[in-house]
Amino acid sequence: MKTGFNFAYLDEATKRMIRRKILKAICIPGYQCPFGGREMPLAYGWGTGGIQVTASIIGKQDILKVIDQGADDTTNAVSIKNFFKRVCNIMITDRTAEASLIQTRHRIPETTLNKDQIIVYQVPQPEPLRKLEPKEKETRKLHAYKEYALMHVKLYEEISQFGSVIKTWAYPVETNNRYITDPTPIPKFDNPKMNNMEALQLFGAGREKRIYAIPPYTKVKSLDFDDHPFEIQTWDECCSICGSTKSYLDEIIINNEGKKNFICSDTDFCKSNLEKNK
Amino acid sequence: MNIKKIMHVENLTHFYGNQIGCKGINFDLYKGEILGIVGESGSGKSTLLKCLSGEISPSAGKINISLDQGGVKDFLSLPEQEKRQLMRSMWGIVHQNPRDGLNLRISAGGNIAERLLNVSEKNYSHLRNTGKYWMEKTEMDSDRIDEFPIGFSGGMQQRLQISKILSSNPQIVFMDEPTGGLDVSVQAKILDTIKSIVRDINVTMIIVTHDLAVVRFLTDKLLVMKDGIVVETGLTDRVLDDPQHSYTQLLTSSILQV
């Protein structure tokens, strides 16, 4: 199919620039590396960072999977998939295990990723300290000098007010015992998956023009206190479609009386679990 | 008893353009000592405090500090990271306006916790107990630990700021007009609190003020400044009771004798 665009939309020089930044980001796990972000045919906030990272590393042999909130069939996922189908003419899949490149928004797939895969996160706000310290100059110093007391003060405040940490998404992590990193708005349920993950994790923020990375087999620790250890969400219910008790469940209101249903947020996991159980 | 010298200042000078901030300041500070710096507005006392606490880097001079762990260091040539680390743990500034030293969007306990978290305390109940301990020590109601300092009175905010600084057990505390904006009865109470605590925990302090009552009450030694230079120095009682320099004489005689 002829599109009039270079393979993967970006020109080769831009791709090289982004790849150089990705390499730098991999060398300094968790460090936010500035890059010359381009305008993409997508509004800021819809994954312009992730799409640029994906575009710069995608090859003709790659099989791409795009998920949005765990689902393969939601607007953001579908439009990004169509975009890459048009500008790269590559294979697209819904199967986590088949994909070599996964772009994601707000979830990490339930299926464990392997060393041949790369996961690209769309990042709404790369700076975990932004809401605590508005000055960019200061947050850079806080990172450089590893002064992370503020982040723990935030957790302290939540425990003192609510009895436990109430942050359930974008729960800050410490990467490789060094940089505090924003894991993007994934539920904290997914945080343990980031630790020692076999796959390479890349993060792209388009508006803020930052790339950061967590290399394979890197220690990722969710912040906590000695006497208030980090915990993930649990549910009393199971998925009403596949019956899974291990996956992250979405709560869905199904009628006007407020009847609730719980289903897996990862649609691919749900489907394959259902097939397996048949 | 061998008293340790923890700060040695030599010929400290700072210019703002052509304007003298402070000039040729020399003094030694010993452990457990409380040094007062007095002088009128514009005499350079705040400039001096800013130089000493690393907020501005002076045009000339030397500051040697000796830390608890390990030998003498040249403070002015320390990298920024070490200076910040010092300010966040081993040293502390009590600002005149407590809003400069506190984060008003986080609770009283959180403010104290921030200081302790800087020295890698990661145990919640310990943070909590230390917070309560210091609030009580500065005569605050420890039940108000989860309230926000924005709802505290000026005197309470100042007490909170002091307990925040002292909670990390600092070696040197810098106080810039600690009772500046407070009314007289609250001033007296806070001075009482400061006095009882410093004797208790043997902290070293440098207090900048224009209030002679404060220095009389708290300090051991005194520097009297005028136009950026130190005009007289000595033990507080000696300087105040037997002033030698004409400016000090003017200063002491200008207190209303009721």
CSV table of all heavy atoms in Angstrom, one decimal, chain A residues 16-72:
chain,number,residue,atom,x,y,z
A,16,ARG,N,16.6,8.1,14.1
A,16,ARG,CA,18.0,7.9,14.6
A,16,ARG,C,18.1,8.7,15.9
A,16,ARG,O,18.7,8.2,16.9
A,16,ARG,CB,19.1,8.3,13.6
A,16,ARG,CG,19.6,7.2,12.8
A,16,ARG,CD,20.9,7.5,12.2
A,16,ARG,NE,20.8,8.7,11.3
A,16,ARG,CZ,20.3,8.5,10.0
A,16,ARG,NH1,20.0,7.4,9.5
A,16,ARG,NH2,20.3,9.6,9.2
A,17,MET,N,17.6,9.9,15.9
A,17,MET,CA,17.7,10.8,17.1
A,17,MET,C,17.0,10.1,18.3
A,17,MET,O,17.5,10.1,19.4
A,17,MET,CB,17.1,12.2,16.7
A,17,MET,CG,17.0,13.2,17.9
A,17,MET,SD,15.4,13.0,18.8
A,17,MET,CE,14.3,13.6,17.6
A,18,ILE,N,15.8,9.6,18.0
A,18,ILE,CA,15.0,9.0,19.1
A,18,ILE,C,15.7,7.7,19.6
A,18,ILE,O,15.8,7.5,20.8
A,18,ILE,CB,13.5,8.7,18.6
A,18,ILE,CG1,12.8,10.1,18.3
A,18,ILE,CG2,12.8,8.0,19.7
A,18,ILE,CD1,11.4,10.0,17.8
A,19,ARG,N,16.3,7.0,18.6
A,19,ARG,CA,17.0,5.8,19.0
A,19,ARG,C,18.2,6.1,19.9
A,19,ARG,O,18.4,5.4,20.9
A,19,ARG,CB,17.4,5.0,17.8
A,19,ARG,CG,16.3,4.2,17.2
A,19,ARG,CD,16.9,3.5,15.9
A,19,ARG,NE,15.8,3.3,15.0
A,19,ARG,CZ,16.0,3.4,13.7
A,19,ARG,NH1,17.2,3.7,13.2
A,19,ARG,NH2,15.0,3.2,12.8
A,20,ARG,N,18.9,7.2,19.6
A,20,ARG,CA,20.0,7.6,20.4
A,20,ARG,C,19.5,7.9,21.8
A,20,ARG,O,20.1,7.5,22.8
A,20,ARG,CB,20.7,8.8,19.8
A,20,ARG,CG,21.7,8.5,18.8
A,20,ARG,CD,22.7,9.7,18.6
A,20,ARG,NE,22.0,10.9,18.2
A,20,ARG,CZ,21.8,11.3,17.0
A,20,ARG,NH1,22.2,10.5,16.0
A,20,ARG,NH2,21.2,12.4,16.7
A,21,LYS,N,18.4,8.6,21.9
A,21,LYS,CA,17.9,8.9,23.2
A,21,LYS,C,17.4,7.7,24.0
A,21,LYS,O,17.6,7.6,25.2
A,21,LYS,CB,16.7,9.9,23.1
A,21,LYS,CG,17.1,11.3,22.5
A,21,LYS,CD,18.2,11.9,23.4
A,21,LYS,CE,18.7,13.2,22.8
A,21,LYS,NZ,19.8,13.8,23.5
A,22,ILE,N,16.8,6.7,23.2
A,22,ILE,CA,16.4,5.5,23.9
A,22,ILE,C,17.6,4.8,24.5
A,22,ILE,O,17.6,4.3,25.6
A,22,ILE,CB,15.6,4.6,22.9
A,22,ILE,CG1,14.3,5.2,22.5
A,22,ILE,CG2,15.4,3.2,23.5
A,22,ILE,CD1,13.6,4.5,21.4
A,23,LEU,N,18.7,4.7,23.7
A,23,LEU,CA,19.9,4.1,24.2
A,23,LEU,C,20.4,4.8,25.5
A,23,LEU,O,20.8,4.1,26.4
A,23,LEU,CB,21.0,4.1,23.1
A,23,LEU,CG,20.8,3.1,22.0
A,23,LEU,CD1,21.9,3.3,20.9
A,23,LEU,CD2,20.9,1.7,22.5
A,24,LYS,N,20.4,6.1,25.5
A,24,LYS,CA,20.8,6.8,26.6
A,24,LYS,C,19.9,6.5,27.8
A,24,LYS,O,20.4,6.2,28.9
A,24,LYS,CB,20.8,8.3,26.4
A,24,LYS,CG,21.3,9.1,27.6
A,24,LYS,CD,21.5,10.6,27.2
A,24,LYS,CE,21.8,11.4,28.5
A,24,LYS,NZ,22.0,12.8,28.2
A,25,ALA,N,18.6,6.4,27.6
A,25,ALA,CA,17.7,6.2,28.6
A,25,ALA,C,17.9,4.8,29.2
A,25,ALA,O,17.8,4.5,30.4
A,25,ALA,CB,16.3,6.3,28.1
A,26,ILE,N,18.2,3.8,28.3
A,26,ILE,CA,18.5,2.5,28.8
A,26,ILE,C,19.7,2.4,29.7
A,26,ILE,O,19.8,1.7,30.6
A,26,ILE,CB,18.6,1.5,27.6
A,26,ILE,CG1,17.3,1.4,26.9
A,26,ILE,CG2,19.0,0.1,28.1
A,26,ILE,CD1,17.3,0.6,25.6
A,27,CYS,N,20.7,3.2,29.3
A,27,CYS,CA,22.0,3.2,30.1
A,27,CYS,C,21.8,3.8,31.5
A,27,CYS,O,22.5,3.4,32.4
A,27,CYS,CB,23.0,4.1,29.4
A,27,CYS,SG,23.6,3.4,27.8
A,28,ILE,N,20.8,4.7,31.6
A,28,ILE,CA,20.5,5.3,33.0
A,28,ILE,C,19.1,5.0,33.3
A,28,ILE,O,18.2,5.8,33.1
A,28,ILE,CB,20.7,6.8,32.9
A,28,ILE,CG1,21.9,7.2,32.1
A,28,ILE,CG2,20.9,7.4,34.4
A,28,ILE,CD1,22.1,8.7,31.9
A,29,PRO,N,18.9,3.8,33.9
A,29,PRO,CA,17.5,3.3,34.1
A,29,PRO,C,16.7,4.3,34.9
A,29,PRO,O,17.1,4.7,36.0
A,29,PRO,CB,17.7,2.0,34.9
A,29,PRO,CG,19.0,1.5,34.5
A,29,PRO,CD,19.9,2.8,34.3
A,30,GLY,N,15.6,4.7,34.4
A,30,GLY,CA,14.7,5.6,35.2
A,30,GLY,C,14.9,7.1,35.0
A,30,GLY,O,14.1,7.9,35.4
A,31,TYR,N,16.0,7.4,34.3
A,31,TYR,CA,16.4,8.8,34.1
A,31,TYR,C,15.5,9.3,32.9
A,31,TYR,O,15.5,8.7,31.9
A,31,TYR,CB,17.8,9.0,33.8
A,31,TYR,CG,18.2,10.3,33.3
A,31,TYR,CD1,18.2,11.4,34.2
A,31,TYR,CD2,18.6,10.6,32.0
A,31,TYR,CE1,18.6,12.7,33.8
A,31,TYR,CE2,19.0,11.8,31.6
A,31,TYR,CZ,19.0,12.9,32.4
A,31,TYR,OH,19.3,14.1,32.0
A,32,GLN,N,14.9,10.5,33.1
A,32,GLN,CA,14.1,11.1,32.1
A,32,GLN,C,15.0,11.8,31.1
A,32,GLN,O,15.6,12.9,31.4
A,32,GLN,CB,13.1,12.1,32.6
A,32,GLN,CG,12.1,11.4,33.6
A,32,GLN,CD,11.4,12.5,34.4
A,32,GLN,OE1,11.0,13.5,33.8
A,32,GLN,NE2,11.3,12.3,35.7
A,33,CYS,N,15.1,11.3,29.9
A,33,CYS,CA,16.0,11.8,28.9
A,33,CYS,C,15.2,12.7,27.9
A,33,CYS,O,14.3,12.3,27.3
A,33,CYS,CB,16.5,10.6,28.2
A,33,CYS,SG,17.9,10.9,27.2
A,34,PRO,N,15.6,14.0,27.8
A,34,PRO,CA,14.9,14.9,26.8
A,34,PRO,C,15.1,14.5,25.4
A,34,PRO,O,16.2,14.0,25.1
A,34,PRO,CB,15.5,16.2,27.1
A,34,PRO,CG,16.4,16.1,28.2
A,34,PRO,CD,16.7,14.7,28.4
A,35,PHE,N,14.1,14.6,24.6
A,35,PHE,CA,14.3,14.3,23.1
A,35,PHE,C,13.5,15.3,22.3
A,35,PHE,O,12.7,16.0,22.8
A,35,PHE,CB,14.0,12.9,22.8
A,35,PHE,CG,12.5,12.6,22.7
A,35,PHE,CD1,11.9,12.4,21.4
A,35,PHE,CD2,11.7,12.6,23.8
A,35,PHE,CE1,10.5,12.1,21.3
A,35,PHE,CE2,10.3,12.4,23.7
A,35,PHE,CZ,9.7,12.1,22.4
A,36,GLY,N,13.9,15.4,21.0
A,36,GLY,CA,13.2,16.4,20.2
A,36,GLY,C,11.9,15.8,19.7
A,36,GLY,O,11.8,15.3,18.6
A,37,GLY,N,10.9,15.9,20.5
A,37,GLY,CA,9.6,15.4,20.2
A,37,GLY,C,9.0,16.0,19.0
A,37,GLY,O,9.1,17.2,18.8
A,38,ARG,N,8.4,15.2,18.1
A,38,ARG,CA,7.8,15.7,16.8
A,38,ARG,C,6.3,15.8,17.0
A,38,ARG,O,5.7,15.1,17.8
A,38,ARG,CB,8.1,14.8,15.7
A,38,ARG,CG,9.6,14.7,15.4
A,38,ARG,CD,10.2,16.0,14.9
A,38,ARG,NE,11.6,15.8,14.4
A,38,ARG,CZ,12.6,16.1,15.0
A,38,ARG,NH1,12.5,16.8,16.2
A,38,ARG,NH2,13.8,15.9,14.5
A,39,GLU,N,5.7,16.6,16.1
A,39,GLU,CA,4.2,16.6,16.1
A,39,GLU,C,3.8,15.3,15.4
A,39,GLU,O,4.4,14.9,14.4
A,39,GLU,CB,3.7,17.8,15.2
A,39,GLU,CG,4.0,19.1,15.8
A,39,GLU,CD,2.8,19.8,16.2
A,39,GLU,OE1,1.7,19.5,15.7
A,39,GLU,OE2,2.9,20.8,17.0
A,40,MET,N,2.8,14.6,15.9
A,40,MET,CA,2.3,13.4,15.3
A,40,MET,C,0.8,13.7,14.9
A,40,MET,O,0.2,14.6,15.4
A,40,MET,CB,2.4,12.3,16.3
A,40,MET,CG,3.8,11.9,16.7
A,40,MET,SD,4.9,11.5,15.4
A,40,MET,CE,4.4,9.8,15.1
A,41,PRO,N,0.3,12.9,14.0
A,41,PRO,CA,-1.1,13.1,13.6
A,41,PRO,C,-2.0,12.5,14.6
A,41,PRO,O,-2.8,11.7,14.4
A,41,PRO,CB,-1.1,12.3,12.3
A,41,PRO,CG,-0.1,11.2,12.4
A,41,PRO,CD,1.0,11.8,13.3
A,42,LEU,N,-1.9,13.1,15.8
A,42,LEU,CA,-2.6,12.6,17.0
A,42,LEU,C,-2.5,13.7,18.0
A,42,LEU,O,-1.5,14.4,18.1
A,42,LEU,CB,-1.8,11.3,17.5
A,42,LEU,CG,-2.5,10.4,18.5
A,42,LEU,CD1,-3.6,9.6,17.8
A,42,LEU,CD2,-1.5,9.4,19.1
A,43,ALA,N,-3.6,13.9,18.8
A,43,ALA,CA,-3.6,15.0,19.8
A,43,ALA,C,-2.7,14.6,21.0
A,43,ALA,O,-2.6,13.4,21.3
A,43,ALA,CB,-5.0,15.2,20.3
A,44,TYR,N,-2.0,15.6,21.6
A,44,TYR,CA,-1.3,15.3,22.8
A,44,TYR,C,-2.2,14.7,23.8
A,44,TYR,O,-3.4,15.1,24.0
A,44,TYR,CB,-0.7,16.6,23.4
A,44,TYR,CG,0.5,17.2,22.6
A,44,TYR,CD1,0.6,18.5,22.3
A,44,TYR,CD2,1.5,16.3,22.3
A,44,TYR,CE1,1.7,19.0,21.6
A,44,TYR,CE2,2.6,16.8,21.6
A,44,TYR,CZ,2.7,18.1,21.2
A,44,TYR,OH,3.8,18.5,20.6
A,45,GLY,N,-1.7,13.7,24.5
A,45,GLY,CA,-2.5,13.1,25.5
A,45,GLY,C,-3.1,11.8,25.0
A,45,GLY,O,-3.7,11.0,25.8
A,46,TRP,N,-2.9,11.5,23.7
A,46,TRP,CA,-3.4,10.3,23.1
A,46,TRP,C,-2.3,9.3,22.8
A,46,TRP,O,-2.5,8.4,22.1
A,46,TRP,CB,-4.2,10.6,21.9
A,46,TRP,CG,-5.6,11.2,22.2
A,46,TRP,CD1,-5.8,12.5,22.5
A,46,TRP,CD2,-6.8,10.5,22.3
A,46,TRP,NE1,-7.2,12.6,22.8
A,46,TRP,CE2,-7.8,11.4,22.7
A,46,TRP,CE3,-7.2,9.1,22.2
A,46,TRP,CZ2,-9.1,11.1,22.9
A,46,TRP,CZ3,-8.5,8.8,22.4
A,46,TRP,CH2,-9.5,9.8,22.7
A,47,GLY,N,-1.1,9.6,23.3
A,47,GLY,CA,-0.1,8.7,23.1
A,47,GLY,C,1.0,9.1,22.1
A,47,GLY,O,1.6,8.3,21.4
A,48,THR,N,1.2,10.4,21.9
A,48,THR,CA,2.2,10.9,21.0
A,48,THR,C,3.6,10.5,21.3
A,48,THR,O,4.4,10.3,20.4
A,48,THR,CB,2.1,12.4,20.8
A,48,THR,OG1,2.2,13.0,22.2
A,48,THR,CG2,0.9,12.9,20.1
A,49,GLY,N,3.9,10.3,22.6
A,49,GLY,CA,5.2,9.9,23.0
A,49,GLY,C,5.4,8.5,22.7
A,49,GLY,O,6.4,8.1,22.1
A,50,GLY,N,4.4,7.6,23.1
A,50,GLY,CA,4.5,6.2,22.9
A,50,GLY,C,4.6,5.9,21.4
A,50,GLY,O,5.4,5.1,21.0
A,51,ILE,N,3.8,6.6,20.6
A,51,ILE,CA,3.8,6.3,19.2
A,51,ILE,C,5.1,6.7,18.5
A,51,ILE,O,5.6,6.0,17.6
A,51,ILE,CB,2.6,7.1,18.5
A,51,ILE,CG1,2.0,6.3,17.4
A,51,ILE,CG2,2.9,8.5,18.1
A,51,ILE,CD1,0.7,7.0,16.8
A,52,GLN,N,5.8,7.7,19.0
A,52,GLN,CA,7.1,8.1,18.4
A,52,GLN,C,8.2,7.1,18.8
A,52,GLN,O,9.0,6.7,18.0
A,52,GLN,CB,7.6,9.5,19.0
A,52,GLN,CG,6.8,10.6,18.3
A,52,GLN,CD,7.3,12.0,18.9
A,52,GLN,OE1,8.3,12.5,18.5
A,52,GLN,NE2,6.5,12.5,19.8
A,53,VAL,N,8.1,6.6,20.0
A,53,VAL,CA,9.1,5.5,20.4
A,53,VAL,C,8.8,4.3,19.6
A,53,VAL,O,9.8,3.7,19.0
A,53,VAL,CB,8.9,5.2,22.0
A,53,VAL,CG1,9.8,4.0,22.3
A,53,VAL,CG2,9.4,6.4,22.8
A,54,THR,N,7.6,3.9,19.5
A,54,THR,CA,7.2,2.7,18.7
A,54,THR,C,7.7,2.9,17.2
A,54,THR,O,8.4,2.0,16.7
A,54,THR,CB,5.7,2.5,18.7
A,54,THR,OG1,5.3,2.3,20.1
A,54,THR,CG2,5.4,1.2,18.0
A,55,ALA,N,7.4,4.1,16.7
A,55,ALA,CA,7.8,4.3,15.3
A,55,ALA,C,9.3,4.2,15.0
A,55,ALA,O,9.7,3.8,14.0
A,55,ALA,CB,7.2,5.7,14.8
A,56,SER,N,10.1,4.6,16.0
A,56,SER,CA,11.5,4.7,15.8
A,56,SER,C,12.2,3.3,16.0
A,56,SER,O,13.3,3.1,15.5
A,56,SER,CB,12.2,5.7,16.7
A,56,SER,OG,12.0,5.3,18.1
A,57,ILE,N,11.5,2.4,16.7
A,57,ILE,CA,12.1,1.1,16.8
A,57,ILE,C,11.4,-0.1,16.1
A,57,ILE,O,11.9,-1.2,16.0
A,57,ILE,CB,12.2,0.7,18.3
A,57,ILE,CG1,10.8,0.6,19.0
A,57,ILE,CG2,13.1,1.6,19.1
A,57,ILE,CD1,10.7,0.1,20.4
A,58,ILE,N,10.3,0.2,15.4
A,58,ILE,CA,9.6,-0.8,14.7
A,58,ILE,C,10.3,-1.2,13.5
A,58,ILE,O,11.0,-0.4,12.8
A,58,ILE,CB,8.1,-0.3,14.4
A,58,ILE,CG1,7.2,-1.5,14.2
A,58,ILE,CG2,8.1,0.6,13.2
A,58,ILE,CD1,5.7,-1.1,14.3
A,59,GLY,N,10.3,-2.5,13.2
A,59,GLY,CA,10.9,-3.1,11.9
A,59,GLY,C,9.9,-3.8,11.1
A,59,GLY,O,8.8,-4.1,11.6
A,60,LYS,N,10.3,-4.2,9.9
A,60,LYS,CA,9.3,-4.9,9.0
A,60,LYS,C,8.9,-6.3,9.6
A,60,LYS,O,7.8,-6.8,9.3
A,60,LYS,CB,9.9,-5.0,7.6
A,60,LYS,CG,9.9,-3.7,6.9
A,60,LYS,CD,10.4,-3.8,5.5
A,60,LYS,CE,10.3,-2.4,4.8
A,60,LYS,NZ,11.6,-2.0,4.2
A,61,GLN,N,9.8,-6.9,10.4
A,61,GLN,CA,9.5,-8.2,10.9
A,61,GLN,C,8.6,-8.2,12.2
A,61,GLN,O,8.1,-9.2,12.7
A,61,GLN,CB,10.8,-9.0,11.3
A,61,GLN,CG,11.8,-9.0,10.2
A,61,GLN,CD,11.2,-9.6,8.9
A,61,GLN,OE1,10.5,-10.5,8.9
A,61,GLN,NE2,11.6,-8.9,7.8
A,62,ASP,N,8.4,-6.9,12.7
A,62,ASP,CA,7.7,-6.8,14.0
A,62,ASP,C,6.3,-7.2,13.9
A,62,ASP,O,5.6,-6.9,12.9
A,62,ASP,CB,7.9,-5.4,14.6
A,62,ASP,CG,9.1,-5.3,15.5
A,62,ASP,OD1,9.4,-6.2,16.2
A,62,ASP,OD2,9.9,-4.3,15.3
A,63,ILE,N,5.8,-7.7,15.0
A,63,ILE,CA,4.3,-7.9,15.2
A,63,ILE,C,3.8,-7.1,16.3
A,63,ILE,O,4.3,-7.2,17.4
A,63,ILE,CB,4.0,-9.4,15.5
A,63,ILE,CG1,4.6,-10.3,14.4
A,63,ILE,CG2,2.5,-9.6,15.6
A,63,ILE,CD1,4.5,-11.8,14.6
A,64,LEU,N,2.9,-6.2,16.0
A,64,LEU,CA,2.6,-5.1,16.9
A,64,LEU,C,1.2,-5.4,17.7
A,64,LEU,O,0.3,-5.9,17.0
A,64,LEU,CB,2.4,-3.8,16.2
A,64,LEU,CG,2.0,-2.6,17.0
A,64,LEU,CD1,3.2,-2.1,18.0
A,64,LEU,CD2,1.7,-1.4,16.1
A,65,LYS,N,1.2,-5.2,18.9
A,65,LYS,CA,0.0,-5.2,19.7
A,65,LYS,C,-0.2,-3.9,20.4
A,65,LYS,O,0.8,-3.3,20.9
A,65,LYS,CB,0.1,-6.3,20.7
A,65,LYS,CG,-1.1,-6.4,21.8
A,65,LYS,CD,-0.8,-7.5,22.8
A,65,LYS,CE,-1.7,-7.4,24.0
A,65,LYS,NZ,-3.1,-7.8,23.9
A,66,VAL,N,-1.4,-3.3,20.4
A,66,VAL,CA,-1.6,-2.0,21.1
A,66,VAL,C,-2.8,-2.2,22.0
A,66,VAL,O,-3.8,-2.7,21.6
A,66,VAL,CB,-1.9,-0.9,20.1
A,66,VAL,CG1,-2.1,0.4,20.8
A,66,VAL,CG2,-0.8,-0.8,19.0
A,67,ILE,N,-2.6,-1.9,23.3
A,67,ILE,CA,-3.7,-2.0,24.2
A,67,ILE,C,-4.0,-0.6,24.9
A,67,ILE,O,-3.1,0.2,25.1
A,67,ILE,CB,-3.4,-3.0,25.3
A,67,ILE,CG1,-2.1,-2.9,25.9
A,67,ILE,CG2,-3.7,-4.4,24.7
A,67,ILE,CD1,-1.8,-3.9,27.0
A,68,ASP,N,-5.2,-0.4,25.2
A,68,ASP,CA,-5.7,0.8,25.9
A,68,ASP,C,-6.5,0.3,27.1
A,68,ASP,O,-7.5,-0.4,26.9
A,68,ASP,CB,-6.5,1.6,24.9
A,68,ASP,CG,-7.2,2.8,25.6
A,68,ASP,OD1,-6.9,3.0,26.8
A,68,ASP,OD2,-8.0,3.4,24.9
A,69,GLN,N,-6.0,0.6,28.3
A,69,GLN,CA,-6.7,0.1,29.5
A,69,GLN,C,-6.9,-1.4,29.5
A,69,GLN,O,-7.9,-2.0,29.9
A,69,GLN,CB,-8.1,0.7,29.7
A,69,GLN,CG,-8.1,2.2,29.5
A,69,GLN,CD,-8.0,2.9,30.9
A,69,GLN,OE1,-7.8,2.3,31.9
A,69,GLN,NE2,-8.2,4.2,30.9
A,70,GLY,N,-5.9,-2.1,28.9
A,70,GLY,CA,-5.9,-3.6,28.9
A,70,GLY,C,-6.7,-4.1,27.7
A,70,GLY,O,-6.5,-5.3,27.3
A,71,ALA,N,-7.5,-3.3,27.0
A,71,ALA,CA,-8.3,-3.8,25.9
A,71,ALA,C,-7.7,-3.6,24.5
A,71,ALA,O,-7.0,-2.6,24.3
A,71,ALA,CB,-9.7,-3.2,26.0
A,72,ASP,N,-7.9,-4.5,23.6
A,72,ASP,CA,-7.4,-4.4,22.3
A,72,ASP,C,-8.3,-3.6,21.4
A,72,ASP,O,-8.0,-3.3,20.2
A,72,ASP,CB,-7.1,-5.8,21.7
A,72,ASP,CG,-6.0,-6.5,22.4
A,72,ASP,OD1,-4.9,-6.2,22.2
A,72,ASP,OD2,-6.4,-7.3,23.3
